[in-house]
Amino acid sequence: MHGIAPIPGYVVIQPTTLCNLDCTYCYLPHRALDRRMPVEVARAVAESVNPWAAADTRFSVVWHGGEPLVAGRAHLAELMAPFVGVEHHIQTNATLVDDAWCEFFRTHDVRVSISVDGPAERNAARVTRGGAPAYERIRRGVDALRRHGIGFSALCVVSAPRAGLARELYGYFLDLGCDVLGINIEEQEGVNSRSNDFGADPVRAFWAELVEAWRAEPRIHVREIEWTLRYVEAVLAASADELLPRALDPIPTIANDGRVFLLSPELAGFTDPRYSDFSSGNVLTTPLHEILGAAAESAVWVPEYLAGIEACRESCPYFGFCGGAHAANRYFEHGRFDGTETNHCRNSKIHLLEGVLDHARAH
């Protein structure tokens, strides 16, 4: 794995910066501002995306805010209209989902992923702008999806990983009815400055217990477990070198104003005296495929990040599993991009793999 691929596997598009919630761990700096994407930006993105989608039937456009549903059905439909042959995915807090939105999802063939952190007592961080718990509104949205027979994925943020929690969470998501579950250990990034140094033992125990709960009733896909088992299987088959892509996926995030942020959506909206605004161009002035063609030199921080990837390759025995620390985690934890190991690495890669192996050794 060297350099940055000229064609991404998917693009992330920000239809609005506004979110109707005010989650305490959120990284977004402008979530109280309603800056909506003009349709001209979506058209410009589609000019590059549609040829990629013609060659890849699973090419995805991921709508991710803010809260994308705040943009409204009419405007979101206008933003989607220029795209041809793509899979539309939406990441939503589900609080606005109702019968009308479910009809929208069906009409536009949108795949839905909801953000919820488990039962009500585990959702203390997810609050409205007035500070009220958002859980009941989330559940009403989930009930609407289930009533309409719309399958959905779930994304859960874990702010205090420890033994005993994983089994509870897995049982909850089984009952919730999601098809796929992703677990994000809380990250120190963006405007969320809370420490994510949780220590090795509780995090390893959390992941080991999650594997145990999943093995007892493997009715849903758990993203992190499947990643890990795929890697372990490849190691045993002496084919682990084939798992990492030949080049980094640029994961272009298109901000509401057309600016393009590569490799880490979490960098959008921030500035730094050394790195400016982290953007690599704007689709209103430069086609997205041209921006990606010059990705390695498109922003001052990118070469520094690529040097950090090489440092990970040389120094970390887990490189074959994770492919190097993520750009935003390096920046928000270290203040630069050429550092190596981060707390995010430890929590969501190193201790994940160790926890799965701990479970295997115990059974």
Side-chain angles (χ1 to χ4, degrees):
M1 185 181 72
H2 293 277
I4 301 174
I7 298 177
Y10 61 99
V11 299
V12 180
I13 301 183
Q14 184 184 59
T16 177
T17 56
L18 181 65
C19 187
N20 60 325
L21 298 188
D22 195 21
C23 302
T24 58
Y25 52 58
C26 183
Y27 63 87
L28 292 168
H30 303 305
R31 61 185 186 271
L33 303 176
D34 190 5
R35 297 172 177 169
R36 299 193 180 191
M37 174 174 283
V39 175
E40 291 73 20
V41 173
R43 291 181 184 140
V45 177
E47 288 180 5
S48 291
V49 164
N50 289 347
W52 296 334
D56 178 0
T57 58
R58 296 299 307 274
F59 194 93
S60 300
V61 173
V62 180
W63 301 91
H64 194 308
E67 167 51 50
L69 303 194
V70 168
R73 287 182 292 279
H75 188 58
L76 198 54
E78 285 188 280
L79 295 177
M80 290 179 171
F83 295 94
V84 178
V86 305
E87 284 189 357
H88 287 293
H89 295 249
I90 203 158
Q91 185 67 44
T92 174
N93 61 36
T95 60
L96 299 176
V97 175
D98 56 12
D99 293 339
W101 271 112
C102 288
E103 289 299 326
F104 179 94
F105 298 149
R106 284 205 178 282
T107 299
H108 297 276
D109 195 20
V110 178
R111 291 160 173 79
V112 179
S113 177
I114 67 165
S115 300
V116 61
D117 299 338
E121 60 271 20
R122 303 297 176 200
N123 276 266
R126 304 186 62 75
V127 295
T128 68
R129 297 220 152 265
Y135 183 73
E136 291 305 319
R137 294 174 62 187
I138 295 170
R139 283 306 306 248
R140 285 198 295 272
V142 172
D143 290 344
L145 292 170
R146 296 179 64 169
R147 190 166 59 248
H148 285 263
I150 296 174
F152 60 94
S153 303
L155 188 62
C156 171
V157 175
V158 175
S159 297
R162 63 187 185 280
L165 177 60
R167 186 176 294 105
E168 173 192 345
L169 291 177
Y170 187 73
Y172 171 84
F173 286 104
L174 280 177
D175 293 339
L176 192 70
C178 61
D179 303 315
V180 180
L181 172 62
I183 300 288
N184 282 357
I185 304 296
E186 183 176 336
E187 300 172 47
Q188 180 186 326
E189 61 182 1
V191 296
N192 179 27
S193 60
R194 302 194 306 193
S195 173
N196 60 340
D197 183 0
F198 301 115
D201 291 344
V203 179
R204 286 177 69 158
F206 173 85
W207 290 121
E209 183 182 282
L210 184 63
V211 178
E212 182 174 11
W214 172 79
R215 285 191 64 199
E217 201 168 357
R219 288 195 286 113
I220 58 178
H221 297 283
V222 180
R223 182 185 63 183
E224 287 73 19
I225 293 175
E226 294 191 1
W227 284 350
T228 309
L229 293 181
R230 190 177 305 121
Y231 175 73
V232 171
E233 181 181 25
V235 169
L236 294 175
S239 61
D241 287 345
E242 300 172 11
L243 285 182
L244 290 178
R246 297 301 93 189
L248 288 166
D249 192 321
I251 317 175
T253 295
I254 319 303
N256 66 291
D257 58 4
R259 286 179 298 161
V260 178
F261 297 86
L262 302 182
L263 301 164
S264 283
E266 298 85 0
L267 294 172
F270 292 91
T271 59
D272 184 285
R274 294 162 295 169
Y275 307 118
S276 188
D277 68 352
F278 300 100
S279 70
S280 291
N282 192 304
V283 296
L284 293 177
T285 56
T286 307
L288 180 59
H289 66 271
E290 290 186 16
I291 293 173
L292 298 188
E297 302 294 335
S298 61
V300 66
W301 65 269
V302 175
E304 185 178 303
Y305 173 65
L306 293 176
I309 290 287
E310 293 308 308
C312 283
R313 185 196 311 277
E314 293 172 5
S315 64
C316 183
Y318 295 88
F319 183 83
F321 178 51
C322 86
H326 296 173
N329 298 113
R330 292 177 196 253
Y331 174 71
F332 289 114
E333 289 192 33
H334 296 322
R336 55 186 301 114
F337 291 95
D338 54 2
T340 53
E341 191 173 306
T342 64
N343 284 330
H344 175 68
C345 290
R346 299 180 189 100
N347 294 332
S348 298
K349 303 293 183 180
I350 295 173
H351 299 327
L352 165 61
L353 179 56
E354 292 172 341
V356 171
L357 294 177
D358 287 345
H359 171 79
R361 281 189 288 265
H363 295 79

